[in-house]
Amino acid sequence: EPEVTQTPSHQVTQMGQEVILRCVPISNHLYFYWYRQILGQKVEFLVSFYNNEISEKSEIFDDQFSVERPDGSNFTLKIRSTKLEDSAMYFCASSAGQPSYEQYFGPGTRLTVT
Amino acid sequence: AQSVTQLGSHVSVSEGALVLLRCNYSSSVPPYLFWYVQYPNQGLQLLLKYTSAATLVKGINGFEAEFKKSETSFHLTKPSAHMSDAAEYFCAVTPGTNAGKSTFGDGTTLTVKP
């Protein structure tokens, strides 16, 4: 069964550094999402992306964050200058759209900012 | 707009006892509903989902849930708890008719006593 993949599984970075988290959505999907889960908390929506544009973003998704679909298969989340509070598990998800809007989640990337 | 409320942040049961984790939702469109399980330092594992077909859905590991529109509920049950069921459980709602974001509940920590 097709699945969403994410790399790396764990990333450690120093405060102030840039990180890029990578996702490969399911191949025929059109809608892409990033979510974040701070340790011990619930999963929170960050951003959704469709047709090479951001379709919705949360208040968490400030100017330090950006998303890109650089080619036909990857979907990336960039954090320009990481802060300690960016330490979290980041989940990518994708959806085919009509007729089913079900979102399929990847395994997550654990980001640790030191 | 949509939201999820998980009643009870901590639930404790004895091994072999019934597990009941409560989830109520609100959604302005027909929803898709999901239950995920998360073990410490791991990603989200899909337990089961409701995507507008049968209202009683069966999932992995003996779990099932019933979609009750009149009660706006999607409670998760398992007839007999096993020690390996101890984990964090998240209920989530996704719009069933558009590509909007998923919204997760705060989570319920299930403890299983021997």
Side-chain angles (χ1 to χ4, degrees):
Chain A
E1 186 174 327
E3 56 184 23
V4 176
T5 59
Q6 292 185 241
T7 54
S9 57
H10 191 189
Q11 172 103 38
V12 181
T13 190
Q14 288 191 325
M15 198 166 50
Q17 295 297 304
E18 175 184 286
V19 293
I20 297 176
L21 309 183
R22 291 183 166 80
C23 168
V24 179
I26 294 173
S27 64
N28 62 338
H29 283 190
L30 302 176
Y31 300 88
F32 313 108
Y33 310 81
W34 283 102
Y35 294 83
R36 179 183 83 174
Q37 184 186 30
I38 294 172
L39 186 64
Q41 299 186 21
K42 69 178 180 181
V43 178
E44 302 171 288
F45 168 76
L46 287 178
V47 65
S48 58
F49 192 84
Y50 170 72
N51 201 26
N52 281 320
E53 289 184 347
I54 290 174
S55 42
E56 184 180 0
K57 60 182 180 179
S58 71
E59 61 275 9
I60 303 168
F61 193 88
D62 61 22
D63 292 344
Q64 292 298 312
F65 291 90
S66 63
V67 289
E68 193 178 34
R69 189 153 162 82
D71 52 41
S73 59
N74 290 282
F75 179 51
T76 61
L77 175 69
K78 181 192 290 186
I79 309 174
R80 277 181 248 286
S81 177
T82 50
K83 308 182 186 72
L84 293 176
E85 54 265 36
D86 294 327
S87 294
M89 182 80 95
Y90 289 81
F91 295 102
C92 173
S94 70
S95 164
Q98 286 190 349
S100 172
Y101 290 97
E102 180 180 350
Q103 294 176 24
Y104 293 81
F105 281 78
T109 292
R110 180 166 297 285
L111 177 65
T112 301
V113 182
T114 62
Chain B
Q2 61 193 20
S3 66
V4 173
T5 302
Q6 290 184 239
L7 295 171
S9 58
H10 290 84
V11 170
S12 180
V13 301
S14 297
E15 192 173 19
L18 171 72
V19 175
L20 171 61
L21 304 183
R22 299 179 188 273
C23 173
N24 287 89
Y25 71 92
S26 70
S27 178
S28 55
V29 300
Y32 290 169
L33 292 154
F34 303 83
W35 275 101
Y36 295 90
V37 61
Q38 186 175 42
Y39 297 96
N41 296 312
Q42 294 191 23
L44 302 168
Q45 182 180 10
L46 179 65
L47 276 178
L48 48 77
K49 61 187 178 185
Y50 166 78
T51 56
S52 75
T55 55
L56 180 63
V57 292
K58 295 185 187 296
I60 61 172
N61 302 339
F63 284 94
E64 65 179 42
E66 186 172 7
F67 171 68
K68 292 188 176 180
K69 184 177 178 181
S70 61
E71 299 177 9
T72 60
S73 68
F74 191 59
H75 302 330
L76 181 71
T77 61
K78 181 174 179 177
S80 177
H82 192 270
M83 297 297 290
S84 61
D85 295 327
E88 186 83 11
Y89 291 79
F90 291 96
C91 180
V93 62
T94 296
T97 57
N98 62 64
K101 64 188 178 187
S102 291
T103 299
F104 285 74
D106 289 339
T108 297
T109 302
L110 176 66
T111 302
V112 182
K113 298 175 291 186

